[in-house]
Amino acid sequence: MKQFLLTFMVIIFLSCSASKRIEYKPIVFDEERAELTRAYLLEHYGIQQESPSILPKMIVLHWTVIPTLEEAFEAFDKPGLPNSRPDIINASSLNVSSQFMVDRDGTIYSLMPETNMARHVIGLNHCAIGVENVGGTKELPLTRAQLKANVWLVEYLYNKYPIEYLIGHYEYINFTDHPLWLEKDETYRTLKTDPGKDFMEKVRKATKNLNFKPVPKKTENNGQ
Ligand SMILES: [Zn+2]
């Protein structure tokens, strides 16, 4: 009996310590957002389905450039894209977001259900979980606490979903000839540098044991 109790307590402790690392700070995911997400899936990827859900196969790391958690949260919160994004409004009026946001002190926030589609990476949203890191400018480079949190989160997601790729946002363009690339609009591309090569190298080094597939090599037509 004693042993049973001990085992039980260990299980409780382990399950709590995993979920304890993630704080919940949900953005609005109402019927309007669900509808815009379904429309995005259909229009951009030819995927027609009842729910706005994805099967995660990839993790994409980002930086926000926006300097604070609250301001970054505010930018993602509303279902519709604000007028401040004329560069991508023509592609869809679904607001951008990501499933996770990591604050400068390393606190991980879950912003929406992990398997709902977020608009954070062209061509790959239907299979990619996004992780935003607050900061990323010269004045506010990503922190060591954020690096540690990203490594933890990558391992957590790897253990939960059939994740094959870990990429930095700037590497998305290498996937245009890949079977996972579903974007129908050949003119819909943006140039990205986040979350920086240095940060990606460090996260990759720390998660080497997970054996993610290599990012495809860039071909001549990419990024045009
Ligand atoms: Zn990004």
Side-chain angles (χ1 to χ4, degrees):
M1 185 61 186
K2 229 178 180 180
Q3 203 173 2
F4 171 77
L5 263 179
L6 191 67
T7 312
F8 185 69
M9 280 167 73
V10 167
I11 289 171
I12 293 282
F13 174 76
L14 286 177
S15 58
C16 284
S17 61
S19 55
K20 217 192 268 174
R21 289 292 302 261
I22 298 177
E23 306 284 334
Y24 291 86
K25 189 174 170 62
I27 55 172
V28 173
F29 210 108
D30 55 2
E31 189 44 44
E32 184 192 356
R33 199 170 206 131
E35 184 52 47
L36 287 168
T37 305
R38 283 193 297 267
Y40 188 102
L41 280 163
L42 181 60
E43 195 182 326
H44 288 271
Y45 306 140
I47 296 173
Q48 187 157 26
Q49 57 186 32
E50 293 283 308
S51 80
S53 63
I54 64 165
L55 176 64
K57 292 179 183 164
M58 179 184 282
I59 300 165
V60 183
L61 306 185
H62 303 261
W63 63 34
T64 60
V65 174
I66 300 172
T68 68
L69 177 86
E70 282 310 321
E71 288 169 288
F73 178 87
E74 193 62 34
F76 292 170
D77 192 26
K78 291 197 176 67
L81 198 68
N83 294 333
S84 57
R85 298 299 304 267
D87 52 331
I88 58 169
I89 189 89
N90 286 339
S92 164
S93 53
L94 171 65
N95 197 7
V96 293
S97 68
S98 73
Q99 284 84 354
F100 293 95
M101 191 177 289
V102 180
D103 201 1
R104 307 208 34 89
D105 66 359
T107 309
I108 300 168
Y109 292 91
S110 164
L111 304 185
M112 52 184 273
E114 289 163 10
T115 54
N116 274 6
M117 194 203 89
R119 183 182 186 185
H120 63 99
V121 57
I122 292 168
L124 302 162
N125 289 314
H126 63 91
C127 66
I129 289 184
V131 179
E132 286 282 353
N133 288 278
V134 176
T137 54
K138 206 174 167 197
E139 295 72 32
L140 287 176
L142 300 188
T143 66
R144 188 157 174 75
Q146 284 173 311
L147 174 64
K148 278 183 165 178
N150 277 247
V151 169
W152 184 89
L153 188 56
V154 166
E155 282 173 359
Y156 163 83
L157 293 169
Y158 172 85
N159 288 323
K160 230 171 150 182
Y161 304 107
I163 304 289
E164 297 172 23
Y165 294 94
L166 166 68
I167 71 166
H169 195 185
Y170 67 90
E171 294 169 309
Y172 88 98
I173 205 76
N174 289 34
F175 281 81
T176 50
D177 295 326
H178 190 278
L180 284 177
W181 183 270
L182 296 184
E183 178 58 51
K184 287 173 174 296
D185 182 352
E186 286 189 14
T187 66
Y188 181 36
R189 305 281 189 273
T190 51
L191 191 62
K192 296 291 174 183
T193 57
D194 63 319
K197 283 190 178 167
D198 181 55
F199 190 78
M200 273 319 291
E201 258 169 42
K202 286 175 179 159
V203 178
R204 284 210 166 101
K205 204 172 164 196
T207 57
K208 210 170 178 245
N209 59 322
L210 306 182
N211 288 317
F212 291 118
K213 291 182 182 173
V215 174
K217 294 267 177 281
K218 214 172 178 179
T219 60
E220 269 182 29
N221 291 327
N222 287 347
Q224 298 291 304

